[in-house]
């Protein structure tokens, strides 16, 4: 069964304390892995797409990496404004050509305290 | 602001009733996607329309239906509502439907909060 699991469910960091979020997946023939940021009461906001093992992408204090079984979202020297829920998602094996047909993990809720 | 507009933002209704959620995609986007987000299930893909036609179906209940109109706005109809249908419903849009390589991002609206009492 296609599945996406994120850990930890919640993470509390002090400002400047670097850490990593994990997303593991069980999908055959990965066509891409997406990271989104979601603020409370808002829709998810696209961060990154990774296509193949070994690929890395960076945006400000965030860096996403991909292996054959999992992806990591590394947060370097986080600030309070990085507080949000981070979701990862992958297309299922039978995604039918729809790039919106995604399986989402339940997310990691990140809190960064000043 | 993603450019995707959803109405209403909040809706409270009784069990057994029917509601319609509305979505206007970003200018120029032909694809519209609907999602349901609940505390226990997380974010789930429901259905996609591309240029007026159904393109892909996810975990959408038979009591739910959607359509996309010639002006590209979309509506999600939820009928015979149950307490478990209480959730945040998102619409998203993108330029094209996808393909063998997924490249274009999809843009989410701010959602419609549905509470069934």
């Amino acid at each position: 069964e296609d599945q996406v699991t994120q850990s930890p469910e919640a993470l509390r960091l002090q400002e400047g304390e670097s850490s990593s979020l994990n997303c593991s997946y069980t999908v055959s023939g990965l066509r891409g892995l997406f990271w989104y940021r979601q603020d409370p009461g808002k829709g998810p906001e696209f961060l990154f797409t990774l296509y193949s093992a070994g690929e890395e992408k960076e945006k400000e204090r965030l860096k996403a990496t991909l292996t054959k079984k999992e992806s990591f979202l590394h947060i370097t020297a986080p600030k309070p404004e990085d507080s949000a829920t981070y979701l990862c998602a992958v297309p299922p094996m039978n995604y039918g050509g729809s790039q919106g047909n995604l399986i989402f993990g339940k997310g990691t809720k990140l809190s960064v305290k000043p | 602001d993603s450019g995707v507009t959803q109405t209403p933002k909040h809706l409270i209704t009784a069990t057994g009733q029917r509601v319609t959620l509305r979505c206007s995609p970003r200018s120029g986007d032909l694809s519209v996607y609907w999602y349901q987000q609940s505390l226990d299930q997380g974010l789930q893909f429901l259905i996609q329309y591309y240029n007026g036609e159904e393109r892909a179906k996810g975990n959408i209940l038979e009591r739910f239906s959607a359509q996309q109109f010639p002006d590209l706005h979309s509506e999600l109809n939820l009928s015979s509502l149950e307490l478990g249908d209480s959730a945040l419903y998102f619409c998203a849009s993108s330029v094209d439907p996808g393909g063998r390589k997924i490249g274009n991002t999809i843009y989410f609206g701010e959602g419609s909060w549905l509470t069934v009492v």
Side-chain angles (χ1 to χ4, degrees), chain A residues 31-32 34 36 38 41-46 49 51 87 91 95-106, chain B residues 33 35 37 40-41 43 45 48 55-57 90 94 96-106 108-110:
Chain A
R31 293 176 181 82
F34 294 73
Y36 285 85
Q38 185 175 21
K42 303 286 187 182
E45 178 186 347
F46 171 78
T49 307
Y51 291 109
L87 302 170
Y95 82 114
S98 168
Q99 64 181 334
N101 185 357
L102 299 171
I103 301 172
F104 285 85
K106 293 192 175 181
Chain B
Y33 311 82
Y35 299 83
Q37 188 172 40
D40 55 344
Q41 295 291 327
L43 190 59
F45 168 71
Q48 178 200 358
R55 174 77 184 213
K57 239 177 181 178
F90 286 109
S94 69
D96 63 75
R100 282 177 294 176
K101 179 170 181 176
I102 297 173
N104 291 329
T105 59
I106 57 176
F108 285 80
E110 297 203 342

Side-chain angles (χ1 to χ4, degrees), chain A residues 9-43:
Chain A
E9 288 185 16
L11 181 62
R12 291 187 175 189
L13 299 174
Q14 287 296 126
E15 184 171 1
E17 180 187 1
S18 301
S19 189
S20 297
L21 314 182
N22 177 264
C23 170
S24 63
Y25 58 90
T26 55
V27 174
S28 300
L30 186 70
R31 293 176 181 82
L33 184 142
F34 294 73
W35 281 98
Y36 285 85
R37 170 192 170 126
Q38 185 175 21
D39 292 301
K42 303 286 187 182

Side-chain angles (χ1 to χ4, degrees), chain B residues 35-86:
Chain B
Y35 299 83
Q36 179 193 61
Q37 188 172 40
S38 60
L39 284 174
D40 55 344
Q41 295 291 327
L43 190 59
Q44 290 196 306
F45 168 71
L46 296 179
I47 197 164
Q48 178 200 358
Y49 275 79
Y50 174 70
N51 205 20
E53 298 202 356
E54 183 182 304
R55 174 77 184 213
K57 239 177 181 178
N59 298 321
I60 188 166
L61 299 172
E62 286 193 10
R63 300 183 286 109
F64 297 179
S65 65
Q67 54 186 328
Q68 187 179 28
F69 295 87
D71 67 352
L72 301 177
H73 92 271
S74 178
E75 293 181 354
L76 179 66
N77 300 296
L78 314 174
S79 62
S80 302
L81 285 166
E82 303 175 359
L83 296 177
D85 298 327
S86 295

